[in-house]
Amino acid sequence: MKYKTLSFIFTGFLFISCRMQISQKNSETLQNFSESIDYSLAKNWAVLPGRYPETLKNYPVQNPQDSIDVFYVYPTLIVSKKDKRWNVPIEDSIQQNKVLKSAVHFQASAWASSGHLYVPYYRQAHLRSYSNIENGGKSALLLAYSDVKAAFKYYLEHYNHGHGIILAGHSQGSTHVGALLRDFFDGKSLQNQLVAAYIPGIGFDKKQFGTVSFMEHPDEIGGFVTWNTFKKKFDQKQYKWYKGKVVINPVTWDKKTIAEKELHKGFLYSNGKMYKNSFVTHVDDGVIWISPPHFPYRYLTFLMPNYHKGDVNLFWEDIRENSLLRVKIYQSKKKNSTFSKSEN
């Protein structure tokens, strides 16, 4: 790809950007964000341990003494065609409300039981950036990642203290997490602290990284998993962006072609209720597709062009349980390693 520094970012949201043709005359000049974000300030974090919003207090860490951290990056929330900004300031109150009430509540919460949660605000790129790389999009996306990278670096230097790490994201968030894997983990000693990276909503190659592998079994650690959710009769124009990409079944956490609805552990709906055994999950070439979810409001799903927005909360309980399993495996291996060293 032409811009190697954006190899992860370009892959995110391609299925949407291909349908959004924003002409140059309608694109506003890129805003000048010259100052970096100071992540020593708590106000620049949506979530920090000890500063959880009310929506997360129902999901306490199951084993806080085990000291696992979860670093979560939220998806694209600035999507309105009327909004001419390329990046949204982190102090934007509307954006902050979306982060807390939508992304944190229905996505980050799936990993909240597994470890201490860290969610930085960042100057997110507008959705149009993906279809306007040559006309401001590249700079907007690089700015967004520079914030995520700075936040993660500050987290490592001041909060991590050698803890195991779960990386999680969705869509644009997953593109930035993919870049974190490349910059901080791939071929580096920090990979020893990687429990798992959950990066749905974009297309990754099986060998996207050098040493960070795609995990094909539910109890693997130290690698990544990814998936993209479609309706049964998915749009072929959207599908082409994922064809040939790697995908896991987020119900069985392997590459089984079909997971019957009885295996589905539950999705978190907007009414706050959990619905289990809701749909059959099929693994296809680069994507998964699900049968129409069976729950009281299922008629609303017919209005959705695809299930991209539900990549996480459709599998909320499945993610939570798998995350806890991987934490257990990580801690067991860590204790065995420590025990072996003490014997020597």
Side-chain angles (χ1 to χ4, degrees), residues 17-114:
S17 65
C18 71
R19 295 185 298 158
M20 292 185 62
Q21 300 299 320
I22 310 297
S23 65
Q24 182 172 350
K25 66 180 181 180
N26 291 328
S27 297
E28 196 173 79
T29 303
L30 188 68
Q31 290 169 269
N32 180 23
F33 289 106
S34 58
E35 295 184 1
S36 59
I37 304 301
D38 184 358
Y39 285 103
S40 69
L41 302 178
K43 69 176 184 178
N44 292 332
W45 295 81
V47 180
L48 284 172
R51 296 184 66 251
Y52 278 22
E54 288 297 322
T55 54
L56 281 181
K57 292 181 179 178
N58 293 326
Y59 313 112
V61 180
Q62 284 204 3
N63 299 296
Q65 71 279 2
D66 287 339
S67 299
I68 295 295
D69 295 338
V70 179
F71 190 91
Y72 165 81
V73 186
Y74 49 85
T76 304
L77 300 172
I78 175 173
V79 298
S80 173
K81 293 181 180 180
K82 295 181 180 180
D83 193 333
K84 299 303 180 182
R85 296 174 297 178
W86 283 97
N87 296 82
V88 58
I90 63 171
E91 64 269 17
D92 184 290
S93 60
I94 296 177
Q95 178 80 345
Q96 288 188 352
N97 187 61
K98 290 179 181 179
V99 171
L100 294 173
K101 299 295 179 63
S102 178
V104 169
H105 185 110
F106 292 104
Q107 290 194 356
S109 59
W111 292 278
S113 297
S114 295

Side-chain angles (χ1 to χ4, degrees), residues 50-343:
R51 296 184 66 251
Y52 278 22
E54 288 297 322
T55 54
L56 281 181
K57 292 181 179 178
N58 293 326
Y59 313 112
V61 180
Q62 284 204 3
N63 299 296
Q65 71 279 2
D66 287 339
S67 299
I68 295 295
D69 295 338
V70 179
F71 190 91
Y72 165 81
V73 186
Y74 49 85
T76 304
L77 300 172
I78 175 173
V79 298
S80 173
K81 293 181 180 180
K82 295 181 180 180
D83 193 333
K84 299 303 180 182
R85 296 174 297 178
W86 283 97
N87 296 82
V88 58
I90 63 171
E91 64 269 17
D92 184 290
S93 60
I94 296 177
Q95 178 80 345
Q96 288 188 352
N97 187 61
K98 290 179 181 179
V99 171
L100 294 173
K101 299 295 179 63
S102 178
V104 169
H105 185 110
F106 292 104
Q107 290 194 356
S109 59
W111 292 278
S113 297
S114 295
H116 307 290
L117 187 61
Y118 295 82
V119 183
Y121 287 122
Y122 69 101
R123 291 171 289 192
Q124 185 173 85
H126 193 287
L127 181 60
R128 74 169 64 88
S129 299
Y130 292 99
S131 56
N132 287 269
I133 295 301
E134 301 287 352
N135 185 36
K138 175 187 174 183
S139 296
L141 290 163
L142 284 174
L143 175 66
Y145 176 60
S146 72
D147 285 353
V148 173
K149 185 175 182 179
F152 189 71
K153 186 176 181 181
Y154 187 86
Y155 153 77
L156 286 178
E157 294 174 351
H158 297 88
Y159 294 132
N160 178 255
H161 305 300
H163 300 171
I165 302 169
I166 291 175
L167 295 176
H170 178 237
S171 207
Q172 183 177 160
S174 288
T175 65
H176 298 318
V177 171
L180 291 179
L181 285 172
R182 176 198 63 202
D183 290 344
F184 291 90
F185 294 85
D186 198 22
K188 300 175 176 64
S189 61
L190 191 61
Q191 189 178 348
N192 293 325
Q193 292 174 232
L194 181 63
V195 178
Y198 295 81
I199 43 179
I202 61 173
F204 281 106
D205 293 324
K206 184 174 183 178
K207 295 184 178 181
Q208 187 81 44
F209 310 99
T211 62
V212 180
S213 301
F214 173 66
M215 300 185 297
E216 299 184 4
H217 302 285
D219 57 353
E220 285 186 78
I221 60 172
F224 75 97
V225 289
T226 185
W227 64 94
N228 299 281
T229 316
F230 281 80
K231 289 184 176 182
K232 183 174 182 179
K233 295 181 179 180
F234 48 76
D235 188 327
Q236 291 299 316
K237 291 182 180 180
Q238 298 174 15
Y239 168 59
K240 69 178 182 179
W241 298 110
Y242 299 115
K243 189 174 178 62
K245 300 301 182 180
V246 72
V247 61
I248 202 72
N249 189 324
V251 172
T252 60
W253 300 100
D254 56 25
K255 298 183 72 176
K256 289 180 181 177
T257 305
I258 298 177
E260 299 295 343
K261 66 180 181 180
E262 289 76 16
L263 296 176
H264 174 239
K265 295 179 174 62
F267 83 90
L268 180 63
Y269 189 57
S270 59
N271 61 2
K273 295 183 179 180
M274 193 73 63
Y275 296 94
K276 65 179 182 178
N277 310 137
S278 297
F279 47 76
V280 180
T281 306
H282 298 249
V283 174
D284 212 322
D285 183 8
V287 301
I288 59 172
W289 58 264
I290 64 175
S291 60
H294 184 78
F295 70 117
Y297 308 94
R298 56 186 176 274
Y299 66 91
L300 295 175
T301 63
F302 292 104
L303 302 175
M304 299 175 63
N306 58 67
Y307 293 142
H308 175 76
K309 289 185 178 180
D311 277 330
V312 174
N313 63 301
L314 280 168
F315 305 96
W316 192 96
E317 183 62 21
D318 305 85
I319 292 170
R320 189 188 76 87
E321 292 189 17
N322 179 254
S323 179
L324 287 168
L325 172 62
R326 296 188 199 269
V327 167
K328 183 178 179 180
I329 299 298
Y330 174 85
Q331 291 293 358
S332 177
K333 290 187 175 182
K334 182 178 180 181
K335 290 177 182 177
N336 289 336
S337 176
T338 302
F339 181 74
S340 298
K341 290 180 180 178
S342 65
E343 281 189 328

Side-chain angles (χ1 to χ4, degrees), residues 1-12:
M1 191 168 287
K2 184 175 180 181
Y3 298 107
K4 292 183 179 179
T5 56
L6 282 173
S7 59
F8 294 101
I9 294 177
F10 288 167
T11 56

